[in-house]
Amino acid sequence: MAAKEDLYAKVTPRRQRQNRPSTVKHGSTLDVLLSMGFPKTRALKALVSTGGKNVQAACDWLFSHVDDPFLDDPLPREYVLYLRPSGPLLQQLSHFWQQSRLSCGKNKAHNIFPHITLCQFFMCADGKVEALCDALQSTVAKWKGRIPMPLPLELYTSSTFIGLFVEEQVAEVLKSFAADFATEAAAKADVHVEPHRKQLHVTLAYHFQTSHLPVLEKLAKNVDVSSGCDWLSVLFSRDIRFANHETLQVMYPYVPQNDDELELVTGDFIFMSPVEQSTASEGWVYGTSLGTGLSGLLPENYVNRADESDTWVVHGSHSILNCASPSNSGSTVGGLLFDGQLNDSLLDSLVDSPSLTGLCPPIQVSRPASQSSLSKMRLFVCRHGERMDVVFGKHWVTQCFDSKGRYIRSNLNMPPSLPARSGGHRDYDKDCPITVFGSTQARLVGEALLDSHTKIDFVYCSPSLRCVQTAQHILQGLQQEGKTKIRVEPGLFEWTKWVSGTCLPTWIPPADLATANLSVDTTYRPHIPISKLTVSESYDTYISRSFQVTREILAENKNLGNTVLIVAHASSLEACTRQIQGLSPQNSKDFVQVVRKIPYLGFCACEEMGETGVWQLVDPPILPLTHGPNHSFNWREMLMQD
């Protein structure tokens, strides 16, 4: 069996679409399940995975997941509070969804129904879900009649984003409502909820082709924002183990022909992770069934692309207009009641992005006087290449320098020469170079960028020699060596807690790097000088430093060029991109787990969302680079036999 973290992506609770109460009240239901002999952890998991519907639904879930490898896994679900429109306004928005999809194809906004984000995603233990739902019900009752209706919405468009923004004064009222829910949730369910602090809005379209803007903008202007609407505060949950998976829907039944194949039932959903597809041959995919939690191979032409939203569970839906749960006269979708009918295309769109902090990105709009004519800015963040001390051990300096400090190459993967250091060769102990293969890795990345017709306008890198050398070889591959100078920025150095000893490395000054024929900008003045770095800084300090320097780098190059490349450390891919997306930092434990999985020359890309000032991760313009280590080879030891 694979490691636990790998298996987390192999199961998710089943979604129910029948009628159910608006809040989870499963005390008596839990007792019934326990009396039937189900363990408490399994019974609770079944209840929250079906929205606390009833005993039958929970039993069905348990029986269908009897072979689920994560049936007893204690990992809790993830929750979020949204404000959803209903009635005439929903019909208007539904029409916009249909027409925009027919006219321009699917964009990111089609992955989720219209909503206003009230809080960020948060975790809640299965045994606390009932109390969490009570917290929402109490908050809604407290706010009865206090939220102005109808909500004043204003259309905003840019080259990559279209949305309806809540007028500021009313938005503050909604934020107070969310803050009260956070307080209630902490008191009743012992969970931490972070209210949404950015500008409140309904996303209509984003991540669409520039050529589609006129059509989408025209359709958006036809939405009558003054239409009648009852807004519903809705509590959703999802299984975070599938956050980075693609969702597929089964169109035809399939009976397995081999042991490694998955049985398909029409209407079921399949979760597919791109990293797991190496085991699948052409025309097949490897995925996990929503209905059973089992994984296996399946024919690709038996499934269609779907939306992650079909795996979400509703735990509470309350009108903020009359503060009563909707009556049974409305339509019912996944346990959530609506006034009027909900279009099928919306029913199949409940998720916007696999990020842990929310499907509708927290957008902070900066409204310019005029639209910029420049192309959108891009940020690339790349880890350095293979490092000497990892390949040849931490004592490589002792082995490669003689008593006079002269460098002696003893392996083809060692560089032919090394830059001189004013402090002597012992400074290489904490500031190692990259290997020959590390240089090759970097040039491959540069050549791939060149083939993709990507031009780098500005290059920033950590002061570590391995990062400067990597940036140099990327520029060589791009055929921009000498044309684009490397700006050495100490603020991009990795978390100093990871530096051994009681002092920071002694880095080669930019002037000496230039003397060593590295294309370094000797006139550049860093945003965070070396003197501001401290040994063993806290995690919060490192994250804040990375965010600050990234934000300042982007700001200083605004309107001067479209593409910025940062070459730094494995941790930089997360630390330099997460907060510019408007997301909160991860805790240090989760952060370390992400960093451990980033290989040499790991590469990610971000784009600015039009004029919003918020960025989002996008597909890089190049393919990933996969490689692995090999053992040292000594022909005498291995081939000469006694």
Side-chain angles (χ1 to χ4, degrees):
M1 181 174 285
K4 191 175 218 183
E5 54 267 31
D6 295 327
L7 284 175
Y8 270 168
K10 301 249 184 2
V11 61
T12 190
R14 183 180 182 181
R15 179 178 183 263
Q16 304 294 329
R17 304 185 88 168
Q18 294 85 9
N19 292 337
R20 50 167 292 279
S22 60
T23 55
V24 179
K25 294 287 185 182
H26 54 63
S28 59
T29 307
L30 176 61
D31 292 338
V32 173
L33 292 172
L34 294 177
S35 69
M36 295 171 68
F38 292 111
K40 186 175 182 179
T41 54
R42 291 189 178 186
L44 283 171
K45 184 183 286 288
L47 286 170
V48 298
S49 298
T50 57
K53 188 177 182 321
N54 53 42
V55 172
Q56 185 61 54
C59 286
D60 289 346
W61 188 92
L62 285 165
F63 291 141
S64 65
H65 285 76
V66 65
D67 294 320
D68 184 336
F70 279 89
L71 186 57
D72 296 313
D73 193 291
L75 183 71
R77 293 176 68 85
E78 195 176 37
Y79 295 77
V80 70
L81 182 64
Y82 282 164
L83 206 58
R84 293 199 55 176
S86 65
L89 179 58
L90 177 61
Q91 294 174 3
Q92 291 266 338
L93 294 170
S94 175
H95 180 72
F96 171 84
W97 247 248
Q98 284 182 307
Q99 294 302 311
S100 61
R101 198 163 188 168
L102 288 172
S103 302
C104 306
K106 185 177 179 180
N107 64 65
K108 276 283 189 178
H110 286 122
N111 288 326
I112 190 168
F113 52 78
H115 72 280
I116 296 172
T117 303
L118 292 182
C119 74
Q120 307 298 331
F121 274 93
F122 59 92
M123 306 287 280
C124 179
D126 292 346
K128 299 283 188 178
V129 174
E130 184 175 352
L132 179 66
C133 295
D134 287 340
L136 176 59
Q137 193 168 27
S138 299
T139 306
V140 171
K142 176 181 176 182
W143 280 81
K144 182 177 181 178
R146 294 171 58 187
I147 299 177
M149 288 292 169
L151 293 183
L153 301 173
E154 178 186 359
L155 178 64
Y156 171 75
T157 66
S158 73
S159 59
T160 57
F161 174 83
I162 300 175
L164 302 172
F165 283 80
V166 183
E167 188 272 330
E168 187 173 353
Q169 288 185 335
V170 177
E172 290 304 315
V173 175
L174 292 176
K175 289 179 181 179
S176 297
F177 170 86
D180 277 2
F181 167 68
T183 301
E184 288 284 333
K188 287 183 165 65
D190 193 29
V191 297
H192 174 70
V193 178
E194 185 69 29
H196 192 72
R197 303 188 185 282
K198 305 294 184 181
Q199 288 180 288
L200 301 186
H201 63 280
V202 178
T203 301
L204 296 183
Y206 77 103
H207 251 211
F208 50 83
Q209 296 180 25
T210 305
S211 59
H212 293 161
L213 177 60
V215 174
L216 293 172
E217 190 172 21
K218 182 179 179 180
L219 290 172
K221 288 179 178 178
N222 290 332
V223 176
D224 183 5
V225 296
S226 63
S227 299
C229 178
D230 182 8
W231 290 87
L232 308 172
S233 57
V234 190
L235 186 66
F236 292 95
S237 77
R238 66 175 183 176
D239 191 325
I240 64 170
R241 293 170 293 191
F242 290 98
N244 295 316
H245 287 57
E246 183 176 355
T247 307
L248 308 171
Q249 186 170 20
V250 178
M251 307 306 294
Y252 311 101
Y254 177 77
V255 178
Q257 306 298 310
N258 298 291
D259 292 340
D260 60 351
E261 294 175 5
L262 184 66
E263 181 179 2
L264 300 183
V265 177
T266 303
D268 191 12
F269 290 89
I270 303 297
F271 296 95
M272 180 189 76
S273 171
V275 300
E276 296 173 336
Q277 300 316 303
S278 59
T279 59
S281 56
E282 185 176 356
W284 293 73
V285 297
Y286 184 88
T288 302
S289 164
L290 167 66
T292 65
L294 300 178
S295 303
L297 295 167
L298 57 133
E300 189 173 12
N301 58 350
Y302 278 56
V303 293
N304 277 345
R305 294 182 184 276
D307 297 315
E308 182 187 343
S309 61
D310 291 308
T311 70
W312 283 25
V313 173
V314 178
H315 298 271
S317 173
H318 306 274
S319 164
I320 65 170
L321 181 61
N322 55 32
C323 295
S325 296
S327 67
N328 290 334
S329 61
S331 303
T332 304
V333 179
L336 179 60
L337 298 170
F338 301 101
D339 296 333
Q341 294 182 343
L342 183 65
N343 183 271
D344 287 343
S345 66
L346 265 66
L347 219 152
D348 292 330
S349 335
L350 287 178
V351 74
D352 196 88
S353 127
S355 99
L356 292 178
T357 55
L359 308 176
C360 182
I363 298 173
Q364 183 176 11
V365 172
S366 173
R367 303 180 184 224
S370 61
Q371 298 292 332
S372 171
S373 61
L374 291 176
S375 301
K376 65 180 69 174
M377 283 193 74
R378 292 188 297 178
L379 170 67
F380 299 149
V381 185
C382 181
R383 187 191 178 191
H384 57 76
E386 181 182 81
R387 49 191 289 176
M388 283 275 283
D389 54 355
V390 171
V391 175
F392 298 105
K394 62 181 181 179
H395 300 299
W396 74 272
V397 175
T398 303
Q399 299 165 359
C400 292
F401 286 87
D402 62 17
S403 58
K404 296 183 178 180
R406 292 176 298 194
Y407 172 66
I408 303 170
R409 184 190 196 192
S410 60
N411 189 284
L412 287 176
N413 198 26
M414 292 180 175
S417 61
L418 292 177
R421 307 191 76 127
S422 58
H425 66 274
R426 297 306 309 188
D427 285 346
Y428 276 115
D429 280 328
K430 287 189 175 182
D431 186 31
C432 69
I434 58 176
T435 62
V436 172
F437 185 55
S439 303
T440 304
Q441 291 171 317
R443 276 197 302 276
L444 282 173
V445 167
E447 290 168 359
L449 289 170
L450 180 65
D451 290 341
S452 69
H453 306 289
T454 300
K455 179 181 180 296
I456 302 297
D457 296 299
F458 302 100
V459 179
Y460 293 79
C461 77
S462 160
S464 295
L465 178 60
R466 57 189 181 273
C467 298
V468 181
Q469 291 177 320
T470 300
Q472 176 83 4
H473 288 289
I474 290 176
L475 289 173
Q476 285 179 0
L478 264 168
Q479 298 180 12
Q480 289 184 220
E481 185 181 17
K483 302 174 185 176
T484 304
K485 296 289 187 179
I486 301 167
R487 297 174 174 179
V488 179
E489 174 55 63
L492 293 172
F493 184 59
E494 64 185 347
W495 189 6
T496 62
K497 179 182 177 180
W498 290 334
V499 176
S500 61
T502 58
C503 60
L504 295 174
T506 301
W507 294 296
I508 302 177
D512 292 352
L513 291 170
T515 301
N517 295 319
L518 291 164
S519 186
V520 171
D521 183 354
T522 57
T523 65
Y524 173 69
R525 298 185 63 180
H527 292 278
I528 299 179
I530 294 175
S531 59
K532 296 294 183 181
L533 299 181
T534 58
V535 180
S536 298
E537 65 188 340
S538 69
Y539 172 66
D540 289 343
T541 299
Y542 168 64
I543 291 297
S544 297
R545 163 166 66 85
S546 299
F547 177 42
Q548 174 193 338
V549 73
T550 305
R551 186 173 50 186
E552 291 178 3
I553 285 172
L554 295 173
E556 77 175 345
N557 294 305
K558 185 75 172 177
N559 298 329
L560 298 178
N562 294 332
T563 306
V564 176
L565 169 65
I566 288 176
V567 181
H569 307 270
S571 57
S572 306
L573 275 72
E574 169 78 5
C576 293
T577 63
R578 187 172 181 85
Q579 286 177 277
I580 65 171
Q581 298 175 72
L583 308 180
S584 301
Q586 299 195 74
N587 61 54
S588 59
K589 183 178 179 180
D590 291 340
F591 171 79
V592 170
Q593 293 304 315
V594 170
V595 172
R596 285 176 175 172
K597 298 176 183 178
I598 296 174
Y600 294 126
L601 269 300
F603 192 100
C604 70
C606 272
E607 281 186 357
E608 186 179 16
M609 296 173 62
E611 302 293 337
T612 65
V614 174
W615 295 65
Q616 62 184 5
L617 288 170
V618 297
D619 288 332
I622 62 174
L623 295 172
L625 174 64
T626 302
H627 48 85
N630 67 311
H631 298 289
S632 60
F633 174 68
N634 186 310
W635 67 272
R636 290 181 183 275
E637 295 178 1
M638 297 185 184
L639 301 180
M640 292 186 68
Q641 304 295 326
D642 292 335

